[in-house]
Amino acid sequence: VSSTAMAPHQLSIGEAAAAIATGRVRALELARALIERVDRLEPELRAWVVVDRERALAEAAERDREPRRGPLHGVPVGIKDIFDVAGLPTAAGFPPFAGRVADADCTAVARLRAAGAVVLGKTVTTQFAYMDPPPTRNPWNPERTPGGSSSGSGAAVAARMVPGALGSQTGGSVLRPAAYVGVVGLKPSYGRVSRRGVLALAWSIDHPGTFSRTVADAAMLLQAIAGHDPADPTSSARPVDDYSAAARPGTPPRLVVLDDFVERAQPDAGARFAATLDALARAGARLAHGRPGADDLIGTHAVLMQAETASVHRRLHAELADQYSPRIRAYVESGALIAAVDYLDAQRQRRVLRRRVEALLDEGDCLVLPTVSGPAPATDTTGDPTFQGPFSLLGLPAITIPAGLDRDGLPLGLQLVGAAFGEATVLQAAAWCERELGPGSPPPAYP
Amino acid sequence: MPDRASPTPEAVLDDLIERARRRWGDARAEAIRALGPIVPTGLARLASAELGDADEPDFLRAGGLP
């Protein structure tokens, strides 16, 4: 048995990869330790749809035997259950899909494996990645939601069941759960990560994204999955930057505070965001202020997402409406009533709003706002998507990092948003903020 | 400059629910009402938005990202 100062489940992606590369930890030892932890915690947290024990252990043993594949060699990951993983069902929280076994990995998962990652299993999604409450519980407080729709990915990373996971965001489904459970969530630019093999909800705003416990780990995951995919017509051919090199603190960033979002935050969350900004300014960050039009951004996102979701689900809903969960069913039925001209106006308005936000990005490196309007609410909801959805609408890269706890000891997040394909700038600014604010801590019940 | 009518979110919601009753029935219309005002509010704002020359040549992509 190898030795390390930390228990295996406490290792970040970077630490785990380094420990495996230097022989201090075997990939099989790490996979076994995490599966044992999942088995122990899962009855409380319900973060997993399936843990692929035999295959994960076999792949980990193979990693110990074979030459190093890449930067994630031997690192276990979780995959949201709307991403195809060969040999496992992509059930999307929809009972009729329980036997819908994927015959190939989606591009993002194939790229993770090519970088050496070991797929531990599939994590819980809300049904079709919409907003019906999941069974998953928040590791910080079981009476609170972990957020959604990437509920299991967030909870599993926060509870140290796995150091990294994939999720997806159409409204706020990466950044919101990440903030609610106190981890790092990254939603790259639209087109940066292939959507091939990922179940659609609203195609022009669906984004694969990542969960991790550090900004550097987010960069490692993004590095593995980013890049052009000829099989996804919306995937960008732009070259991929060196994200791991970028994800180090540089000079203090110039941040544009989005005041009209800040004003919508709950009082305690707003006060803590102000304190966070003060701390960053004292450390050297330069602050400017802007008002991008929160009401327009929120409303346009809502119309566009609902219309596309209704189109995506039109045929399945016609056959199996009674099998749908209540909210997604009503959402699809309401979306079917949106007029074509309103959907097209939403697309046109998106262009207007992009120009408006790009003008603000000329004033700084990143936009900054609270990730969430308040801490995680009760388990009958997945929370408020209005602080994250606008940047899904605009296709811009966004990241959340832990930004302290509220008065009840629940995590809050700091959201940074960059220019299209400016992931390197966003990661560098986030790494600087992470250093100044301190890393996120584990939930007290799951150290 | 815009001469389109600018309905209130409440009026948009009422219209949506009425059409929902005809299309899906009373029970489904009430389920749709329970989704809240965010989409009706968005539709009301869009109806009065100044869109200028903002066409969307490729709306498969987010905001026309290359």
Side-chain angles (χ1 to χ4, degrees), chain A residues 170-197:
Chain A
T170 307
S173 291
V174 170
L175 268 70
R176 185 166 80 261
Y180 283 167
V181 301
V183 302
V184 174
L186 172 64
K187 181 203 80 66
S189 305
Y190 187 85
R192 185 69 298 174
V193 176
S194 171
R195 296 180 298 112
R196 187 191 68 84

Side-chain angles (χ1 to χ4, degrees), chain A residues 143-226:
Chain A
E143 306 298 317
R144 303 298 184 105
T145 180
S149 62
S150 309
S151 316
S153 291
V157 171
R160 276 60 182 167
M161 293 167 156
V162 72
L166 293 186
S168 66
Q169 175 160 318
T170 307
S173 291
V174 170
L175 268 70
R176 185 166 80 261
Y180 283 167
V181 301
V183 302
V184 174
L186 172 64
K187 181 203 80 66
S189 305
Y190 187 85
R192 185 69 298 174
V193 176
S194 171
R195 296 180 298 112
R196 187 191 68 84
V198 185
L199 208 62
L201 180 61
W203 65 87
S204 80
I205 51 176
D206 287 339
H207 298 71
T210 68
F211 289 82
S212 59
R213 296 195 288 265
T214 69
V215 173
D217 282 3
M220 291 180 74
L221 290 172
L222 178 61
Q223 199 79 57
I225 63 176

Side-chain angles (χ1 to χ4, degrees), chain A residues 28-112:
Chain A
L28 182 59
E29 175 189 1
L30 178 58
R32 274 197 185 125
L34 294 182
I35 289 172
E36 285 171 11
R37 186 169 173 86
V38 170
D39 286 342
R40 188 160 52 83
L41 304 183
E42 180 60 8
E44 303 160 21
L45 294 176
R46 288 176 281 175
W48 297 82
V49 179
V50 59
V51 178
D52 197 9
R53 288 175 180 76
E54 287 185 15
R55 186 174 175 193
L57 293 172
E59 286 187 358
E62 190 181 342
R63 298 292 181 274
D64 285 328
R65 290 191 300 269
E66 68 185 0
R68 184 171 180 267
R69 288 190 181 198
L72 301 178
H73 195 87
V75 176
V77 293
I79 308 295
K80 181 181 184 179
D81 195 22
I82 65 166
F83 291 72
D84 281 352
V85 173
L88 296 178
T90 307
F94 188 56
F97 281 7
R100 190 171 168 272
V101 176
D103 56 14
D105 288 336
C106 67
T107 298
V109 168
R111 289 180 175 178
L112 286 176

Side-chain angles (χ1 to χ4, degrees), chain A residues 296 333 337 351 354, chain B residues 4 19 28 45 56 65:
Chain A
D296 287 335
E333 290 165 353
L337 303 173
R351 180 61 61 90
R354 267 288 298 270
Chain B
R4 285 181 294 181
R19 288 188 292 126
R28 303 310 308 150
R45 292 190 71 84
E56 189 59 82
L65 287 181

